[in-house]
Amino acid sequence: MTVNERLYASGLMDDFDKAIKNKDVEKAKSILIKTELDEASIKPILESLNLKEDIK
């Protein structure tokens, strides 16, 4: 299943779009985690959307 399909099936597409629009990296990441994606998959997705995680 693609990321978009996962977001749509989980009902999180609108929330994810809002997080991206607001450049809310943590919210976007938490939504992707809810769709059962792992860290290795999430990082390139965020990077492709020009969102970078804060290094802590």
Side-chain angles (χ1 to χ4, degrees):
M1 196 181 290
T2 68
V3 174
N4 281 341
E5 290 170 335
R6 288 173 186 243
L7 289 167
Y8 181 79
S10 65
L12 295 170
M13 181 71 84
D14 289 338
D15 292 339
F16 185 73
D17 287 342
K18 287 177 191 173
I20 299 306
K21 182 180 176 186
N22 294 327
K23 299 192 183 294
D24 187 341
V25 177
E26 290 304 314
K27 180 71 172 176
K29 185 176 175 181
S30 72
I31 291 168
L32 292 173
I33 289 169
K34 289 178 185 176
T35 65
E36 299 181 9
L37 290 171
D38 60 14
E39 281 288 329
S41 299
I42 292 171
K43 185 175 180 179
I45 292 167
L46 294 177
E47 289 174 354
S48 74
L49 295 167
N50 292 320
L51 297 176
K52 305 225 186 226
E53 292 184 81
D54 292 332
I55 300 172
K56 296 177 183 174

